[in-house]
Amino acid sequence: MTAPVVEISERRLRLHDAHLRAAARELLCHDARLAGTEIDVDFDGGVAHLTGAVDQERQLMLARELIGRLAGVFAVWDRVRVGGRAPRLLDLGCGATKQYPENVGVDLAPGPAVDVVADLQGGIPFADNSFDRIFAVHVLEHLADFLPLVDDCHRVLRPGGILHILSPWWRYVNAVADPTHLRLLDVQTFKGICARNTAGRNWFPLHAGCDGAGVFADLRRVEPGAEAPTPEHMARFFD
């Protein structure tokens, strides 16, 4: 039986962030496979934030994988330059605050952080293969059917792009206290999303977790015919 998840106190999160920061920086510094890269990492609430530069995408993916193995990491977000190119970042339902200042912000209502006003229930107003990363932070729970939006994220992401999701955990009080929340999510929800195999719009779970208040997922866009995650990989995150 899976042990119950207990919300982590702010004090413990702050101290744990400091521990993770030191452990992750030591890991990046001493892994010979990352020699010559310029990756730095910070933590906020168990979320790793990677910055810096690498020559090749595989180096960034290795850094993400290594940091994601550390106990207590709930997600790995990055805005690392690859081959001299900065990633293009999309922030869905950004409201008054983007996850990163350089993100392109989309929301239903205009505001200082909003670059594009759009109703996401009608789709994402960008062309195919437009972004490297998409942030859907406290968005999916507001949609009666969020699967079309998840599918549209796959379309808008470039091959190998990553969708970052954060939503309230279904057992946390804020999940039901807000009357605008139409759906309840669990870590297992992301297992279901990855198992859909719908019209070639497939996802590979890079990371998934729960901090007792929210559920996190980093899902990488994969192409038809790509190798499926192994049972051992899936067992890291899902029952």
Side-chain angles (χ1 to χ4, degrees), residues 98-228:
K98 301 175 186 179
Q99 301 309 309
Y100 297 128
E102 65 268 34
N103 289 11
V104 177
V106 178
D107 204 277
L108 183 61
V114 178
D115 301 295
V116 177
V117 176
D119 184 352
L120 294 173
Q121 295 186 93
I124 303 171
F126 290 98
D128 298 0
N129 308 319
S130 297
F131 289 90
D132 300 285
R133 305 287 184 265
I134 296 179
F135 295 85
V137 176
H138 294 297
V139 173
L140 299 191
E141 66 271 18
H142 293 279
L143 303 177
D145 183 3
F146 56 70
L147 291 176
L149 179 62
V150 171
D151 288 342
D152 215 31
C153 287
H154 193 287
R155 175 188 66 81
V156 172
L157 280 170
R158 292 167 176 154
I162 299 172
L163 170 61
H164 299 295
I165 300 172
L166 168 58
S167 287
W169 184 42
W170 72 278
R171 294 187 64 180
Y172 186 59
V173 63
N174 285 358
V176 294
D178 188 337
T180 68
H181 290 175
L182 304 179
R183 295 295 300 272
L184 300 175
L185 282 78
D186 185 77
V187 173
Q188 302 302 313
T189 305
F190 306 125
K191 180 182 180 182
I193 289 174
C194 293
R196 288 175 68 226
N197 194 23
T198 303
R201 291 183 173 174
N202 304 329
W203 300 97
F204 185 101
L206 296 175
H207 209 81
C210 177
D211 66 358
V215 288
F216 302 79
D218 300 332
L219 308 180
R220 186 176 67 187
R221 168 184 160 164
V222 295
E223 308 312 305
E227 185 176 350

Side-chain angles (χ1 to χ4, degrees), residues 49-106:
H49 297 269
L50 277 61
T51 56
V54 296
D55 293 328
Q56 301 179 20
E57 180 73 20
R58 63 177 178 79
Q59 296 170 312
L60 174 56
M61 294 307 297
L62 173 60
R64 290 183 53 90
E65 171 66 20
L66 293 174
I67 291 171
R69 292 176 185 173
L70 295 174
V73 176
F74 301 121
V76 182
W77 296 0
D78 79 86
R79 45 180 173 165
V80 173
R81 298 186 307 278
V82 178
R85 186 181 71 84
R88 194 169 185 223
L89 313 173
L90 180 61
D91 209 318
L92 300 180
C94 64
T97 306
K98 301 175 186 179
Q99 301 309 309
Y100 297 128
E102 65 268 34
N103 289 11
V104 177
V106 178

